[in-house]
Each structure stands twice: as C-alpha cells, then as structure tokens.
Amino acid sequence: MPAGEVESPFAPVLDIDSAASLRVDCYVRGSVPPAITATIDDVVERLRDLDERDVIDDHRVTHWPPEYRSAAGSTGENGSTRDELVAEFERWAARKGHSLEPAFRRQAVPPSPFDADLDEPRERVRVPVVALVISEVEEDATVADAVDADAASIRGVVPYTERPSAERSRTYTVNDLLATVEANGNGVHLGTRQREGPTPLGGRQ
C-alpha cells in the first residue's frame, strides 16, 4: 500500500528509500538545569516507547562530543568531535536544501594571545539541548555496530529549518517529529520501504 500523507502542516519529511533498519540517535547536552533535564527525560522515554513498539528499530542516547580534539585525542563515542559531527549533519541539510539554523550555529572565536599555535580564529559550534538523527543502517551492518558514515546513512536531522522563500521559513522540532510518529500509532514502522520518494516521517503504511 502506498505511503499515506500525514495530515499535519508540521510533519517533518524523511527520505526513506529502502527496507534497511533505521536507528534514531538522540544527542543531549551533558550539563543542563533541572527543568531542562525533565524535557530531555521525556524525549528519551518517548523514544524508548517507540522502540518497544517496533516503530523504530533502535535508538541510542549520547552526550554531544567535545568541541575539539584534545591533545590525548579525546572525541565522542563515534570517534568524531562536535564540529565533525555537525558538519555531517550540515551536509545532509545542504543536500535537502534545508538549514540547521537557528538550532545549530557556528560562531568565530578569535585566537587567544596565549596560544601561539593558533594563527587563525576557529569556530565554536553551538548545538541544541537535544537533537534527533535518523540513520539508515546498511543490510550488512548490525544496528549496534553502525557508528560511522560507512555503515549508516543519515536520513533526517531535527531540529532543521525549511526556507521555501526569503519571506517564509519553518523550523521542525524534536517534538514535531515525535508527535508525528506517535499520532500514527502502531501501524507505522520507519524501516518499511517507501515507493513514492520522500514522504512525511511516520507516513502510514
């Protein structure tokens, strides 16, 4: 049966073009006020519920990696710095004609006079408190082991912004994505093959 349209003007669009498994990575800030912690906990609980109902194949919750690679080579769980990770998200957005701003921002940081090794200003990447990344896991890779670009292909990032014209824009949030999937009930499985190109995330099969 062709994928149905979600009757919501705020349904994020996810391009699913194969029957591969889909994983949702939830990136969160490591240190936030208690009120924000409750919001993050709610997102994690909703993801856990979708996973248990087999609406998604797998999900992971992890802190944003450090901004820069330390002298000891410290990075995030997938071996990337925050800049490298966000750059991968930006490439997805550019391919789709979207923007990650204002949720994600890059800001130039002038070099410190005490750091003689830095002749040029570097960027500081501001990330949202919580973001979701939907990745398509290749058939020959297990969901648990698909942690790099060779094993998984990004199919969506939220928050993201659509700008159909200079006067119009719409930012899709984490809640928009979760609400869209939840509203379609148990009949939705994000790993099901789509035959009509990009469809709203959570389109009923």
Side-chain angles (χ1 to χ4, degrees):
M1 179 182 298
E5 293 294 323
V6 176
E7 295 183 1
S8 168
F10 304 139
V13 172
L14 179 65
D15 182 10
I16 305 173
D17 57 10
S18 81
S21 297
L22 293 186
R23 183 189 69 237
V24 178
D25 285 287
C26 178
Y27 290 93
V28 301
R29 289 186 188 170
S31 178
V32 295
I36 302 300
T37 299
T39 299
I40 293 174
D41 289 344
D42 178 67
V43 170
V44 172
E45 182 60 33
R46 294 165 76 181
L47 283 173
R48 184 180 297 116
D49 178 66
L50 292 172
D51 198 343
E52 290 176 351
R53 289 161 45 198
D54 292 330
V55 178
I56 58 178
D57 296 295
D58 191 28
H59 76 283
R60 300 184 308 184
V61 181
T62 183
H63 291 156
W64 289 107
E67 286 195 70
Y68 311 111
R69 201 176 302 272
S70 69
S74 174
T75 59
E77 291 183 11
N78 68 347
S80 299
T81 64
R82 185 181 306 176
D83 177 78
E84 292 165 342
L85 189 65
V86 172
E88 187 177 357
F89 301 164
E90 289 171 336
R91 286 191 289 272
W92 167 82
R95 289 196 302 270
K96 299 299 179 182
H98 303 326
S99 170
L100 295 184
E101 294 185 350
F104 296 82
R105 286 190 184 277
R106 291 182 177 274
Q107 181 179 12
V109 178
S112 168
F114 303 103
D115 195 340
D117 295 332
L118 289 178
D119 297 327
E120 298 180 358
R122 57 182 176 180
E123 290 181 321
R124 170 163 293 171
V125 181
R126 193 196 77 174
V127 293
V129 171
V130 58
L132 300 182
V133 180
I134 301 91
S135 298
E136 182 179 285
V137 182
E138 301 294 342
E139 294 181 359
D140 58 352
T142 64
V143 172
D145 293 336
V147 295
D148 55 37
D150 294 331
S153 173
I154 291 179
R155 310 310 270 171
V157 178
V158 287
Y160 77 87
T161 300
E162 288 182 349
R163 290 194 172 93
S165 68
E167 297 78 22
R168 295 172 53 217
S169 67
R170 162 66 188 172
T171 297
Y172 294 95
T173 67
V174 167
N175 185 65
D176 289 334
L177 186 147
L178 292 175
T180 297
V181 177
E182 292 164 343
N184 281 269
N186 293 325
V188 180
H189 184 272
L190 300 188
T192 302
R193 182 180 299 277
Q194 306 289 321
R195 295 183 175 84
E196 298 184 345
T199 60
L201 177 60
R204 190 179 299 278
Q205 304 304 311

